[in-house]
Amino acid sequence: MMKSITVKQLVKQFNLEILAGNDELERIITKPRTHRPGLEFIGFFDFFPMEHVQVLGKKEIAYLHQLTHEERRLRIGNIVKYHPPCFIVTSEQEGLMYLTQFCNEEGIPLLRTKEPTSTFIEKYDAYMIKSLAPETAIHAVCVNIFGLGILIRGKSGIGKSEIAHTLIGRGHRLVADDIVVLKKLGPDTLLGTHNETNKEFLALRSVGLLNVVRLYGRKAFQEETRIALDIHLTEWEKNALNNELELETKTNDYMGVTIPTIEIQLQPGRDVVGLIEAAANNWYLKQQGYSAAEEFIQRLESDMENKGKTN
């Protein structure tokens, strides 16, 4: 199902002034980016993205102002007949009676913002990309550790929330407990967030539901985070965990986005929280081009070469 928002939601989000089409605010927007109709004003419509919100900056409005009445009716009429979701005029520009008239005639919302064109488009695109991004919900905990978004997965009752609570005590941040909403912002970008209902809440067995912001302050919670690492908690299996040098990173796939993943087996007395912090730091070092495993192997090879020379 294609995600969408209404023009009414857009008006509320950006505090837009309604100049025309007040009865048409339930119109649907399904495309994440805006379009500035420049070529269309001179009659070139071969690639006109009619489903996008149309933004009219100073250049577009200045062009329309210098046209004759008949030319203006022709240029604007050619665009409004495609019925885009709405028009947004930036920089609080005035002298828009003709544009208001055409939009009222065609039932298209005409909105205005005080923001400069580039500033508004940047904010709009960022908001819409997140709002319309493909998403899925998974059973997990999401935390931000040392600035890195980390998923903690495992079967129910294994201790994910308790681990998140300990991480908060060490200065890290909760993003979502139990249900994590994942949004795909790009081919390599996965955003983790809450589902609004579980915002700021952490459920601990035998203790109950905690509001981490009320208990520990704003620093204990973060609205969203880019997912960098996926950690899977499993029960301890005797003789199953080997201290292998894993040069090839294991991964998990979420909506086509590949995320590095590691498995941590649980055992009484094992410092799982410390291991998760170590995993986060190790991931960061790998992004800087350093691999402890590769360095260790290089040392072994160097040692073997030196021994071979002395024999």
Side-chain angles (χ1 to χ4, degrees):
M1 180 178 178
M2 181 179 293
K3 296 178 68 177
S4 65
I5 72 165
T6 64
V7 174
K8 186 176 182 179
Q9 289 174 287
L10 203 64
V11 169
K12 182 178 179 181
Q13 175 67 27
F14 293 101
N15 192 29
L16 301 174
E17 181 184 359
I18 303 170
L19 302 179
N22 193 61
D23 297 331
E24 300 293 332
L25 299 183
E26 296 302 324
R27 291 168 68 94
I28 297 299
I29 304 170
T30 60
K31 300 298 181 182
R33 298 187 182 278
T34 62
H35 175 69
R36 297 181 67 176
L39 290 174
E40 289 77 17
F41 277 139
I42 61 174
F44 187 76
F45 286 87
D46 286 8
F47 303 98
F48 180 47
M50 65 187 72
E51 296 177 337
H52 292 244
V53 168
Q54 306 296 310
V55 172
L56 303 176
K58 289 185 176 181
K59 291 180 180 179
E60 290 80 14
I61 296 300
Y63 171 76
L64 293 175
H65 281 342
Q66 58 90 35
L67 297 177
T68 65
H69 177 77
E70 290 303 320
E71 287 177 329
R72 193 181 297 145
R73 172 173 287 277
L74 174 63
R75 302 303 183 191
I76 296 175
N78 284 340
I79 292 179
V80 297
K81 70 181 181 182
Y82 286 97
H83 282 258
C86 65
F87 289 95
I88 299 177
V89 177
T90 61
S91 305
E92 206 172 15
Q93 297 179 84
E94 299 180 347
L96 306 173
M97 291 298 295
Y98 57 89
L99 198 55
T100 302
Q101 176 186 344
F102 288 128
C103 286
N104 276 326
E105 289 175 358
E106 293 293 332
I108 301 174
L110 175 63
L111 314 171
R112 182 164 61 185
T113 177
K114 298 178 180 179
E115 298 271 13
T117 307
S118 57
T119 302
F120 175 76
I121 289 177
E122 183 178 350
K123 292 180 179 179
Y124 174 93
D125 287 352
Y127 169 74
M128 292 296 287
I129 287 172
K130 288 182 181 179
S131 298
L132 301 181
E135 66 179 48
T136 187
I138 64 170
H139 178 63
V141 170
C142 184
V143 289
N144 184 279
I145 299 176
F146 303 130
L148 303 176
I150 295 182
L151 292 175
I152 302 176
R153 297 183 297 109
K155 69 179 185 179
S156 182
I158 203 166
K160 300 184 295 295
S161 298
E162 289 80 359
I163 288 171
H165 182 256
T166 303
L167 286 165
I168 291 171
R170 294 198 187 190
H172 306 297
R173 297 178 176 181
L174 174 71
V175 176
D177 179 43
D178 192 39
I179 300 297
V180 179
V181 177
L182 299 177
K183 295 188 176 185
K184 181 180 179 181
L185 302 188
D188 301 310
T189 305
L190 192 70
L191 194 73
T193 187
H194 50 79
N195 65 358
E196 292 295 338
T197 303
N198 65 349
K199 179 180 178 179
E200 301 176 357
F201 288 120
L202 183 67
L204 299 179
R205 281 179 171 78
S206 303
V207 176
L209 202 61
L210 306 180
N211 186 309
V212 299
V213 172
R214 295 292 183 92
L215 282 175
Y216 306 113
R218 293 302 312 173
K219 65 179 182 179
F221 175 75
Q222 186 167 315
E223 285 280 348
E224 58 191 28
T225 186
R226 180 173 177 175
I227 302 300
L229 189 61
D230 176 37
I231 293 179
H232 186 205
L233 304 179
T234 61
E235 294 179 345
W236 183 271
E237 294 182 22
K238 189 176 182 180
N239 300 324
L241 189 65
N242 298 311
N243 188 23
E244 299 176 347
L245 294 178
E246 295 183 354
L247 294 178
E248 291 189 9
T249 304
K250 295 180 179 178
T251 62
N252 209 351
D253 184 275
Y254 295 98
M255 295 182 291
V257 180
T258 301
I259 303 296
T261 184
I262 65 172
E263 177 184 328
I264 295 179
Q265 293 192 5
L266 304 183
Q267 188 182 45
R270 199 165 193 226
D271 183 10
V272 177
V273 170
L275 290 175
I276 292 175
E277 288 179 323
N281 280 323
N282 200 43
W283 179 91
Y284 179 79
L285 287 175
K286 286 183 178 180
Q287 302 314 297
Q288 307 305 308
Y290 173 78
S291 170
E294 290 180 359
E295 182 181 356
F296 182 70
I297 289 176
Q298 288 174 3
R299 289 186 184 183
L300 288 178
E301 291 175 345
S302 178
D303 188 52
M304 291 176 64
E305 288 179 5
N306 290 335
K307 286 183 179 179
K309 291 177 181 180
T310 57
N311 291 337

